[in-house]
């Protein structure tokens, strides 16, 4: 009985490895938590990308179309190089939370939105400031390639003259062309195999006495130089026309014929037709004082006629307000003889400047019109900017002007300031407008956003691991077990 009582009073023996097992259990729990958080953090970008793909649009053409509405992209919208959108329907430049650039060294000076044919948005980022699509940045006729300055994802540094990049919107890769004799993109050859470039002289030469329009082009530096054709496959360039000292506007003064071999160029008031294959040229027509070639899309879809714009309004040394009150009349010339074509009965088009992006097969002209910023700064110095330049423009619209009358705005702008639009020429010719217009999705995002989100998470995990390690390494005081004095208990029993 006494022995049983002694056994009952004896505490259970503590296993020698109890502390070691508890420590291992604690470390397993910490490791499991860290692994779970890391797995979620690493999988989050991919899950967001998959979850944010725009839903298919019922009834949308598989060939794509120009969207009926455009929006301001997200500030962190994924770049083309990270997430190629495929062939684009349009390019947009302008201002806003997503389109606006930052005029600081080391920052993106210009951002361009490439809107895919499914309505998705991806970004092209350039270090050069004040870039406009349809001008310094241009979309190829099939919407697959974009040409612009060779400054994608680079810092603003001097010495980039004679350099261009062509970005493939299907692969996201860019091909860079260096040490070119000309580096100002003017127009794509219709098959997309070559680019027409302008060598802009520096310093400018002596100017002619009869500028054909606006009166300030020479002061902008839009004069002289030469035109070159860059073969994209070989990287070779060859001169196709010497401009001498003539005023030259790269936005309106050049148009390729659909065959790609003939090029219409406005040289002062002369409209010259150039054979790019053999270098031959002839004067097709002499334009009036208020006339100008309508732009890169001047040739009709069949190549039989080309468009000329006739100005009604202030022509020289104009304020921004006076430029905005201009009216433009669209006429055509016979592409073979230069003779005036029949009056198409087109509506007059208002705007500080106008350029044609192309013709639909039914004879509808598609134009971009510009409104200038009405501000005392520009009114004081009317020659500081061309009417279609980035800092001068306050709005740009894409219009369809139909023969016989009638004008329609083709793209509505929702919460975004659009200062220029470039359109894939194949969509213009086929008249594919009013396509899917989903709002830009927040994801996929640029990798810098993922890094911004994941860096604090990784830091927190490291902190947890460090605290756990420090707790494990800290010295622990032994806690003595309180046990009965069994020897004294035995002596009391013996006395009893």
């Amino acid at each position: 009985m006494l022995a049983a009582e002694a056994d009952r009073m004896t505490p259970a023996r503590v296993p020698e490895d109890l502390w070691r097992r508890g420590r291992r259990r604690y470390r397993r729990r910490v490791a499991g938590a860290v692994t779970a958080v890391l797995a979620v953090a690493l999988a989050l970008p991919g899950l967001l990308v998959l979850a944010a793909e725009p839903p298919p649009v019922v009834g949308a053409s598989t060939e794509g179309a120009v969207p009926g509405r455009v929006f301001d992209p997200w500030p962190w919208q994924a770049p083309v190089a990270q997430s190629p959108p495929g062939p684009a329907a349009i390019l947009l430049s302008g201002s806003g939370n997503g389109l606006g650039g930052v005029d600081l060294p080391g920052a993106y000076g210009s951002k361009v939105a490439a809107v895919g044919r499914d309505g998705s948005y991806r970004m092209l980022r350039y270090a050069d400031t004040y870039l406009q699509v349809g001008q310094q940045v241009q979309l190829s006729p099939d919407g697959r390639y974009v040409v612009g300055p060779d400054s994608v994802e680079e810092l603003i540094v001097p010495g980039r003259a004679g350099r261009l990049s062509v970005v493939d919107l299907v692969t996201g890769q860019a091909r860079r062309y260096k040490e070119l004799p000309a580096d100002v993109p003017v127009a794509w050859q219709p098959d997309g195999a070559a680019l027409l470039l302008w060598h802009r002289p520096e310093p400018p030469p002596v100017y002619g006495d009869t500028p054909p329009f606006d009166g300030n082009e020479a002061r902008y530096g839009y004069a002289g130089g030469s035109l070159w054709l860059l073969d994209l496959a070989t990287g070779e360039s060859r001169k196709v026309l010497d401009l001498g000292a003539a005023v030259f506007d790269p936005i309106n003064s050049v148009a390729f014929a659909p065959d790609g071999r003939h090029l219409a160029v406005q040289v002062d008031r002369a409209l010259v037709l150039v054979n790019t294959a053999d270098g031959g040229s002839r004067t097709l027509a002499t334009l009036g004082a208020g006339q100008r070639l309508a732009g890169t899309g001047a040739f009709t879809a069949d190549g039989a006629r080309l468009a000329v714009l006739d100005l009604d309004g202030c022509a020289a040394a104009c304020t921004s307000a006076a430029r905005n009150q201009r009216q433009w009349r669209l006429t055509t010339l016979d592409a073979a003889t230069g003779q005036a074509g029949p009056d198409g009965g087109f509506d007059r088009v208002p705007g500080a400047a106008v350029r044609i992006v192309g013709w639909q097969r039914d004879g509808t002209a598609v134009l971009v019109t510009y409104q200038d910023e009405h501000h005392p700064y520009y009114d004081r110095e009317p020659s500081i900017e061309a009417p279609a330049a980035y800092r001068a423009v306050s709005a740009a619209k894409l219009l369809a002007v139909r023969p016989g009358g009638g004008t329609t705005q083709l793209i509505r702008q929702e919460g975004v300031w659009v200062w220029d639009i470039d359109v894939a020429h194949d969509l213009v010719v086929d008249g594919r407008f009013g396509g899917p217009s989903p709002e830009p999705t927040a994801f996929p995002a640029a990798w810098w956003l993922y890094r911004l989100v994941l860096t604090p998470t990784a830091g927190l995990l490291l902190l947890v691991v460090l605290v756990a390690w420090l707790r494990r390494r800290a010295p622990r005081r032994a806690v003595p077990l309180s046990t009965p004095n069994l020897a004294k208990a035995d002596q009391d029993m013996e006395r009893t």
Side-chain angles (χ1 to χ4, degrees):
M1 178 179 178
L2 292 177
E5 182 67 17
D7 288 342
R8 186 181 65 79
M9 296 178 62
T10 301
R13 198 174 284 276
V14 178
E16 295 180 0
D17 64 344
L18 179 62
W19 171 251
R20 191 177 299 109
R21 282 189 291 173
R23 188 169 57 181
R24 285 199 301 266
R25 188 179 301 112
Y26 172 74
R27 284 188 299 201
R28 283 198 299 270
R29 288 175 179 172
V30 171
V34 170
T35 301
V37 174
L38 277 176
V40 171
L42 293 174
L44 182 61
L47 293 174
L48 291 174
V49 170
L50 292 175
E53 287 299 319
V57 179
V58 178
S61 169
T62 56
E63 297 179 334
V66 175
R69 293 185 300 168
V70 293
F71 305 86
D72 192 19
W74 292 88
W76 56 79
Q77 203 81 56
V80 165
Q82 174 188 318
S83 178
I90 58 173
L91 300 181
L92 299 175
S93 57
S95 181
N97 294 325
L99 274 183
V102 180
D103 188 8
L104 292 173
Y108 297 123
S110 300
K111 293 194 289 184
V112 167
V115 183
R117 302 195 175 199
D118 60 354
S120 61
Y121 286 68
R122 297 294 185 271
M123 303 305 294
L124 291 158
R125 296 180 168 96
Y126 296 93
D128 289 9
T129 55
Y130 310 130
L131 299 182
Q132 289 276 71
V133 301
Q135 300 182 44
Q136 302 91 348
V137 178
Q138 296 191 12
L139 184 64
S140 66
D142 62 358
R144 174 165 181 168
Y145 299 98
V146 178
V147 61
D150 181 23
S151 56
V152 181
E153 310 290 358
E154 294 179 1
L155 299 179
I156 299 176
V157 293
R160 278 201 302 269
R163 299 174 64 181
L164 289 174
S165 68
V166 174
V167 180
D168 187 336
L169 299 180
V170 173
T171 66
Q173 298 178 344
R175 179 173 178 181
R176 290 172 168 80
Y177 298 85
K178 301 180 180 180
E179 300 179 358
L180 298 173
D183 60 358
V184 179
V186 177
W188 283 87
Q189 192 168 278
D191 62 1
L195 273 164
L196 187 71
L197 306 175
W198 177 32
H199 167 65
R200 188 174 186 172
E202 188 69 33
V206 178
Y207 304 112
D209 296 327
T210 56
F213 50 83
D214 222 89
N216 296 310
E217 286 75 19
R219 296 178 64 183
Y220 304 148
Y222 294 141
S226 52
L227 297 178
W228 295 70
L229 201 61
L230 169 65
D231 186 296
L232 296 181
T234 65
E236 298 295 325
S237 298
R238 57 187 176 87
K239 186 186 294 188
V240 295
L241 185 66
D242 196 327
L243 297 171
V247 169
F248 178 74
D249 177 6
I251 301 171
N252 282 80
S253 295
V254 164
F256 269 106
D259 64 10
R261 295 185 56 189
H262 294 89
L263 183 70
V265 183
Q266 182 175 348
V267 182
D268 278 340
R269 291 175 60 179
L271 188 58
V272 178
L273 194 64
V274 181
N275 188 320
T276 59
D278 60 20
S281 64
R282 64 184 176 91
T283 299
L284 184 64
T286 300
L287 301 180
Q291 290 185 316
R292 66 176 70 180
L293 188 63
T296 55
F299 277 93
T300 55
D302 59 5
R305 294 174 295 140
L306 68 161
V308 172
L309 290 166
D310 202 342
L311 172 62
D312 180 11
C314 181
C318 309
T319 64
S320 297
R323 286 200 294 254
N324 288 339
Q325 293 172 3
R326 290 171 169 173
Q327 298 283 324
W328 301 88
R329 188 168 64 93
L330 183 64
T331 61
T332 62
L333 303 178
D334 186 287
T337 66
Q339 297 298 313
D343 188 344
F346 298 100
D347 290 345
R348 290 181 178 268
V349 180
V354 175
R355 66 178 177 89
I356 188 168
V357 298
W359 293 83
Q360 299 181 29
R361 296 189 194 280
D362 64 0
T364 298
V366 180
L367 308 170
V368 176
T369 67
Y370 303 88
Q371 289 289 309
D372 279 0
E373 187 74 42
H374 182 36
H375 192 280
Y377 175 73
Y378 299 105
D379 290 344
R380 269 198 326 270
E381 297 289 343
S383 65
I384 195 169
E385 293 290 347
Y390 182 92
R391 287 180 293 182
V393 174
S394 64
K397 296 179 180 179
L398 187 69
L399 304 180
V401 183
R402 292 183 292 275
T407 300
T408 303
Q409 184 170 338
L410 294 172
I411 298 178
R412 287 185 293 155
Q413 302 167 13
E414 306 286 345
V416 59
W417 293 272
V418 173
W419 293 346
D420 215 336
I421 305 168
D422 203 10
V423 188
H425 192 256
D426 62 333
L427 301 184
V428 174
V429 172
D430 291 341
R432 298 208 297 268
F433 294 95
S437 308
E439 295 190 38
T441 55
F443 296 94
W447 283 117
W448 62 262
L449 180 67
Y450 297 134
R451 289 194 290 267
L452 184 66
V453 172
L454 294 180
T455 298
T457 304
L460 180 61
L461 291 175
L462 289 175
L463 180 62
V464 170
V465 172
L466 178 62
V467 169
W469 181 78
L470 291 175
R471 289 188 61 184
R472 183 169 61 86
R473 298 286 295 176
R476 292 176 173 80
R477 295 188 310 170
V479 180
L481 295 175
S482 177
T483 58
N485 192 329
L486 298 180
K488 186 174 183 300
D490 289 343
Q491 292 175 0
D492 292 342
M493 290 179 191
E494 288 175 358
R495 291 194 192 98
T496 304

